[in-house]
Amino acid sequence: MVCLGNICRSPLAEGILKSKLFRANVVIDSAGTGAYHIDEKPDNRSIAIAKINGIDITDQRARKFLVKDFDEFDIIYVMDSSNYRDVIEMARNEVDIKKVKMILNEVFPNENLDVPDPYTGGDFGFKSVYKMLDEACDIIVKKINPNG
Ligand code: 4NP
């Protein structure tokens, strides 16, 4: 799960997917394309909306997306088109490029919709981001675990 700062959207996406997917052989992580918040905890507003929904994301620490993530992960979900461009710029080949997907395309295929960056907005932005990611993660879990 990749966003810009790795403190608002992608930590929520990581926490939500982890809460829905209990397969030991699936590794879920998140990272940011920017380095502004490395080693920081998620934004308090992300922590709060996760907590309201029964998810604890306080153990997460921001890190930067690295080229080696292309080797370690099969699917790289990005939150918006700017994250998409930044990650694609780091891709080494077609195999890397094919791993990168806009997360809301799971809900609205081929529409390339952004999960809006809630950083400079208020709490409502975090609530709606949570809802979008929750819906996307439900679909991702069904794809990975078709029999529940
Ligand atoms: P995120 O939100 O990409 O969802 O973690 C942001 C967090 C911090 C900044 C931008 C977006 N920033 O510019 O510091």
Side-chain angles (χ1 to χ4, degrees):
M1 299 298 191
V2 177
C3 63
L4 174 59
N6 193 208
I7 56 167
C8 298
R9 292 164 293 177
S10 59
L12 275 177
E14 177 187 335
I16 293 168
L17 190 58
K18 280 180 171 167
S19 77
K20 295 177 189 287
L21 191 66
F22 302 106
R23 279 185 36 179
N25 61 346
V26 178
V27 176
I28 302 161
D29 195 10
S30 65
T33 56
Y36 323 105
H37 297 282
I38 287 175
D39 287 333
E40 288 179 24
K41 277 203 293 201
D43 187 284
N44 282 333
R45 295 162 296 176
S46 283
I47 290 175
I49 193 69
K51 190 173 176 196
I52 288 169
N53 289 279
I55 298 172
D56 182 359
I57 60 168
T58 55
D59 285 346
Q60 293 187 36
R61 294 294 177 271
R63 73 170 179 91
K64 200 167 177 311
F65 180 81
L66 304 169
V67 170
K68 75 173 175 142
D69 288 315
F70 286 113
D71 299 322
E72 300 195 356
F73 295 92
D74 300 312
I75 308 175
I76 295 159
Y77 283 113
V78 294
M79 301 295 131
D80 66 28
S81 55
S82 136
N83 309 148
Y84 185 84
R85 279 192 297 276
D86 290 340
V87 171
I88 289 292
E89 239 171 55
M90 293 170 70
R92 300 155 298 183
N93 51 46
E94 277 301 310
V95 175
D96 288 356
I97 289 171
K98 282 212 178 101
K99 292 185 175 188
V100 189
K101 298 175 193 297
M102 298 274 284
I103 193 165
L104 287 188
N105 279 353
E106 296 291 357
V107 187
F108 307 102
N110 305 315
E111 292 194 25
N112 297 328
L113 296 176
D114 292 341
V115 178
D117 179 353
Y119 186 60
T120 51
D123 289 342
F124 178 75
F126 283 78
K127 201 171 163 187
S128 69
V129 161
Y130 187 94
K131 195 162 173 284
M132 291 174 204
L133 293 175
D134 193 50
E135 269 187 66
C137 287
D138 278 336
I139 295 169
I140 293 168
V141 169
K142 281 200 192 108
K143 281 190 173 170
I144 295 177
N145 252 357
N147 301 315

